[in-house]
């Protein structure tokens, strides 16, 4: 399957649509930054409902409606194995600067948790994937990131294993604090301005959706916000 995505368009970022409920403004925002459109299984129905045609529809096809299967028959990339999620299947072998994944956070909690686990499994593999909802943008925290944030901005860290982190620019510094999903987590911290985070261990960074430009810039995938 990976060679299907090596189509000479790797310079364009990708919007990947999942099957969870999706607010149209979130999809529109993603497409302005990541114009290539892919769907993971039932995400094709969200595309169909909005008159959009994905480049590919990837997954085990157990959530795809008959109408979407018919309309996008020439774009289906079936991956029948059940050892990975459709989110993971769609990212496999994908050639792009980054991926904005929408329609993965607003329905079943187990699906969202599986997406988080896959981010940890991928580690620093390219392309970096950011999960978007109306309220949040979520990415795996790299070993070091600088974020051009504003005072009062929410900065939440959610460890996916034992994590050691250092920070500057946070209201409650992380120096010397061990984070763990079964112990202390780092939700609802606040920026006092520009923030630097250094991290050892798998950890999610959760920012307000409006801070997506700052996150992309921090990941080296966009211009620093003014």
């Amino acid at each position: 399957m990976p060679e299907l995505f090596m189509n000479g368009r790797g310079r364009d970022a990708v919007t990947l649509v999942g099957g969870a409920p999706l607010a149209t403004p979130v999809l529109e925002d993603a497409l302005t930054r990541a114009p290539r459109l892919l769907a993971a299984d039932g995400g094709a129905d969200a595309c169909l409902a909005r008159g959009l045609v994905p480049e590919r529809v990837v997954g085990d096809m157990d959530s795809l409606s008959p109408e979407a299967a018919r309309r996008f028959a020439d774009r289906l990339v079936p991956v029948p194995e059940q050892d990975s999620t459709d989110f993971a299947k769609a990212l496999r072998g994908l050639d792009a600067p980054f991926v904005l994944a929408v329609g993965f956070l607003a329905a079943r909690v187990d699906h969202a948790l599986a997406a988080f686990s896959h981010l940890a499994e991928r580690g620093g593999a390219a392309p970096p994937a950011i999960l978007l909802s109306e309220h949040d943008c979520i990415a795996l925290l790299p070993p070091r990131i600088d974020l051009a944030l504003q005072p009062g901005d929410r900065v939440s860290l959610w460890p996916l294993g034992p994590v050691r982190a250092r920070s500057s620019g946070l209201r409650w510094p992380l120096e010397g604090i061990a984070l763990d999903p079964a112990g202390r987590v780092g939700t609802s911290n606040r920026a006092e301005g520009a923030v630097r985070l250094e991290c050892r261990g798998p950890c999610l960074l959760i920012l307000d959706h409006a801070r997506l430009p700052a996150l992309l810039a921090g990941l080296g995938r966009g211009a620093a916000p003014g």
Side-chain angles (χ1 to χ4, degrees):
M1 187 194 71
E3 67 273 15
L4 290 172
F5 297 110
M6 304 303 179
N7 58 5
R9 297 187 61 193
R11 290 173 295 178
D12 293 332
V14 165
T15 292
L16 175 64
V17 180
L22 171 61
T24 296
V26 175
L27 177 57
E28 291 174 346
D29 183 33
L31 286 170
T32 62
R33 306 173 194 278
R36 283 178 67 190
L37 178 63
L38 273 65
D41 202 339
D45 285 282
C47 296
L48 182 63
R50 293 166 172 83
L52 300 172
V53 179
E55 180 182 318
R56 292 285 187 271
V57 180
V58 184
D60 56 21
M61 308 305 169
D62 64 350
S63 302
L64 192 65
S65 72
E67 176 63 11
R70 183 183 66 80
R71 292 283 295 274
F72 302 139
D74 61 337
R75 299 168 185 272
L76 301 183
V77 183
V79 186
E81 54 90 356
Q82 295 294 313
D83 295 328
S84 62
T85 64
D86 291 320
F87 178 59
K89 292 178 175 74
L91 291 178
R92 197 177 298 157
L94 183 57
D95 181 24
F98 61 88
V99 177
L100 299 181
V102 299
F104 291 92
L105 297 177
R108 290 172 46 177
V109 172
D110 56 343
H111 285 174
L113 290 172
F116 298 157
S117 293
H118 184 61
L119 290 182
E121 179 185 353
R122 296 180 76 240
I130 299 171
L131 294 160
L132 293 183
S133 71
E134 289 183 87
H135 304 291
D136 302 307
C137 54
I138 305 173
L140 188 72
L141 193 64
R144 174 173 160 173
I145 190 170
D146 290 294
L147 298 164
L149 300 178
Q150 301 297 316
D153 282 349
R154 171 174 59 113
V155 181
S156 285
L157 302 181
W158 185 265
L160 297 171
V163 169
R164 287 282 183 175
R166 299 170 58 188
S167 68
S168 64
L170 290 180
R171 183 175 301 172
W172 297 285
L174 302 174
E175 195 74 32
I177 295 176
L179 303 179
D180 191 283
R184 187 168 184 174
V185 296
T187 58
S188 300
N189 212 322
R190 295 287 170 181
E192 295 187 330
V195 168
R196 171 172 291 177
L197 299 170
E198 298 178 46
C199 175
R200 288 187 299 166
C203 189
L204 296 178
L205 170 63
I206 307 170
L207 302 175
D208 291 335
H209 182 122
R211 296 297 173 253
L212 177 58
L215 177 56
L216 287 171
L219 294 171
R221 298 305 195 272

